[in-house]
Amino acid sequence: MHPTDEMNTKGFTLMEVLITVVIFSIIMMTLFSSFQAFVSSSSRISDIIDASDRARTAFDRIMTDITTLHVSQPPRYQVPDSYSDPDPHRLVLTRENISGQQFSSLEFSSFSHIRLSGAADPAFAHPDGVARIRYYVRPNRDGRFTLHRSGSLVLDSSGTGREVSPCLDPVLASNITRFDITCMAAPPESGRESDRETASEWDSDSADRNNLFPEAIQVTLALAETDTLRKSREIELVMPVPVQRE
């Protein structure tokens, strides 16, 4: 037998096999790490998109209600005193402590009420119907927070009609980490936006506010990502109040 033929039939040495296994392991670890990073990145992107969609739904509803906000006008509206009832359509912005965290609560009247499908009560089709709207945050069973919207329909715009059974309080957004509202007064004479008065609490029946509605409302909303519960990017929107008291 030729010497070279004998060498070719020896096969791989142990060292060659070990080197091959090590190289193969390194390649597989690199591919697995890349695949794991891709899956993690895809999951995070999906969470961010979901949080953004939930925030957009909430903002769309709030903007619709603010756009059709109802304001009581003189002579029907009279500046309240210590003996009179408050304006049933006043705008009230407060801060609430919910399970140790501070959230805003906003209440006002709007023509944009949500109708119950198939509601038998004819009041829901009343042309002068005005809904009393409230946005608020409450904890859920998991110890997280949800943004709610309540709406109670009033028969006439004076607020003196009877109140119909309230609509359901739908959850506009879940996993809330922040819901802050700021009311903005009219621009100052200086014209500088930095001099504009802002407030985290507001009552349009208050003499401190000259019995006026704010010129604009700024809403800041942040939602945790669904799976990771990490804080997502905060979304902020400034909405002008379309009508003022004359």
Side-chain angles (χ1 to χ4, degrees), residues 13-58:
T13 65
L14 177 61
M15 183 62 66
E16 290 173 335
V17 172
L18 291 176
I19 292 174
T20 302
V21 169
V22 169
I23 293 175
F24 179 77
S25 299
I26 293 174
I27 293 174
M28 291 303 297
M29 289 177 61
T30 302
L31 291 176
F32 179 76
S33 298
S34 300
F35 177 76
Q36 192 175 33
F38 171 77
V39 171
S40 177
S41 176
S42 299
S43 177
R44 176 167 172 75
I45 292 174
S46 177
D47 288 344
I48 292 174
I49 292 174
D50 177 71
S52 298
D53 287 342
R54 288 182 287 135
R56 183 175 66 250
T57 299

Side-chain angles (χ1 to χ4, degrees), residues 4-158:
T4 56
D5 294 337
E6 184 177 354
M7 292 179 61
N8 291 337
T9 61
K10 287 183 179 179
F12 296 104
T13 65
L14 177 61
M15 183 62 66
E16 290 173 335
V17 172
L18 291 176
I19 292 174
T20 302
V21 169
V22 169
I23 293 175
F24 179 77
S25 299
I26 293 174
I27 293 174
M28 291 303 297
M29 289 177 61
T30 302
L31 291 176
F32 179 76
S33 298
S34 300
F35 177 76
Q36 192 175 33
F38 171 77
V39 171
S40 177
S41 176
S42 299
S43 177
R44 176 167 172 75
I45 292 174
S46 177
D47 288 344
I48 292 174
I49 292 174
D50 177 71
S52 298
D53 287 342
R54 288 182 287 135
R56 183 175 66 250
T57 299
F59 274 121
D60 287 347
R61 185 68 251 175
I62 295 173
M63 183 176 292
T64 299
D65 289 338
I66 293 294
T67 301
T68 57
L69 181 140
H70 171 71
V71 177
S72 299
Q73 300 288 0
R76 174 171 288 173
Y77 175 77
Q78 298 293 327
V79 175
D81 55 33
S82 56
Y83 301 101
S84 61
D85 294 329
D87 175 20
H89 298 297
R90 67 191 185 280
L91 181 144
V92 180
L93 172 64
T94 58
R95 298 283 291 174
E96 294 183 330
N97 188 313
I98 310 295
S99 300
Q101 295 192 41
Q102 292 288 323
F103 295 99
S104 293
S105 173
L106 179 64
E107 186 175 358
F108 57 93
S109 293
S110 173
F111 289 103
S112 181
H113 55 272
I114 298 177
R115 301 189 181 203
L116 292 174
S117 59
D121 197 322
F124 283 91
H126 196 282
D128 294 327
V130 178
R132 190 68 183 162
I133 307 299
R134 181 170 178 246
Y135 287 93
Y136 61 96
V137 174
R138 287 293 180 266
N140 59 20
R141 295 179 180 177
D142 299 328
R144 305 170 191 174
F145 299 94
T146 53
L147 176 62
H148 296 260
R149 175 194 184 275
S150 67
S152 299
L153 188 61
V154 180
L155 274 180
D156 62 75
S157 57
S158 67

